[in-house]
Amino acid sequence: MAEAFTLYKLIILYMLDKVDFPLTNSQISEFVLDKGYTDYFKLQQALSELADGGLILKESTHNRTLFHLTEDGKGTIHLFQDKISKPIQDDIDHFLQTKQYDLKNEVSVKADYMKNAGEEYSVRCQVFENHEPLIDLTLSVPTEKEAAAITLNWQKKNQVVYAWLMSQLL
């Protein structure tokens, strides 16, 4: 059992090592659960233990969790990569190659909100390209409901908003 649990952790580290962007909890889950490597609860435990051990960095917002590989995580996967069978590595590589654009696009768009001192909410909407902000927009709204709606809609409409802003400003 302990050996299988170690494999789940190595799969996560391998996935994060193979991309140059963070992966969401749902992206990692999609691969691991669809392939039937483990169940949701063991996967979440593995993610938690990797974060607690400093091998991955967990970045949480109101609507999702992103995972980044740390330098210690990178060193660990490079030492123990051979403990992941070639067929599993091939499965991971195929998944990442097939979905790379969608995976990267999903994590390049960020939105989060927080309550500010004036009893309003500040919503920060961002789009990144090559780790650099393409747009970084902060809006103030009176209610948490509006802040949550903007956060959700930013994921769906960021390209339209960006194009409109560029057309108005250029």
Side-chain angles (χ1 to χ4, degrees):
M1 182 67 169
E3 192 173 308
F5 195 70
T6 299
L7 176 61
Y8 310 149
K9 291 179 182 179
L10 290 173
I11 287 171
I12 295 164
L13 293 175
Y14 184 86
M15 288 180 76
L16 289 169
D17 187 50
K18 290 294 180 178
V19 295
D20 62 350
F21 51 89
L23 293 173
T24 67
N25 190 331
S26 63
Q27 290 171 332
I28 295 168
S29 297
E30 176 186 349
F31 171 76
V32 173
L33 300 179
D34 285 356
K35 289 294 183 181
Y37 290 126
T38 190
D39 62 47
Y40 177 80
F41 298 105
K42 288 178 186 156
L43 177 61
Q44 296 311 306
Q45 182 182 354
L47 286 164
S48 179
E49 288 184 16
L50 287 169
D52 291 346
L55 300 179
I56 61 175
L57 178 64
K58 182 178 179 179
E59 177 187 351
S60 296
T61 64
H62 286 91
N63 60 347
R64 66 182 175 179
T65 302
L66 296 168
F67 293 99
H68 304 260
L69 188 63
T70 65
E71 287 302 316
D72 287 344
K74 191 174 290 243
T76 299
I77 193 57
H78 290 166
L79 283 174
F80 296 105
Q81 181 174 329
D82 63 328
K83 301 292 183 194
I84 304 171
S85 71
K86 181 73 169 126
I88 292 175
Q89 288 183 29
D90 290 345
D91 282 349
I92 295 168
D93 293 342
H94 181 262
F95 173 80
L96 294 174
Q97 286 172 346
T98 303
K99 296 190 160 238
Q100 182 170 15
Y101 176 79
D102 293 333
L103 295 172
K104 193 170 192 171
N105 193 42
E106 185 179 333
V107 298
S108 67
V109 178
K110 295 182 181 182
D112 200 11
Y113 66 88
M114 66 181 152
K115 194 170 190 175
N116 58 31
E119 295 300 312
E120 289 187 335
Y121 290 82
S122 293
V123 185
R124 187 172 187 190
C125 303
Q126 300 171 296
V127 176
F128 290 87
E129 188 173 280
N130 299 323
H131 305 290
E132 295 293 324
L134 196 55
I135 185 170
D136 191 344
L137 176 68
T138 302
L139 303 166
S140 293
V141 294
T143 68
E144 184 174 11
K145 184 178 179 181
E146 291 172 331
I150 291 170
T151 301
L152 180 64
N153 286 323
W154 183 249
Q155 297 297 323
K156 300 173 190 170
K157 299 181 179 181
N158 65 81
Q159 292 175 340
V160 172
V161 172
Y162 179 77
W164 181 84
L165 279 172
M166 294 304 283
S167 72
Q168 296 300 306
L169 298 173
L170 292 178

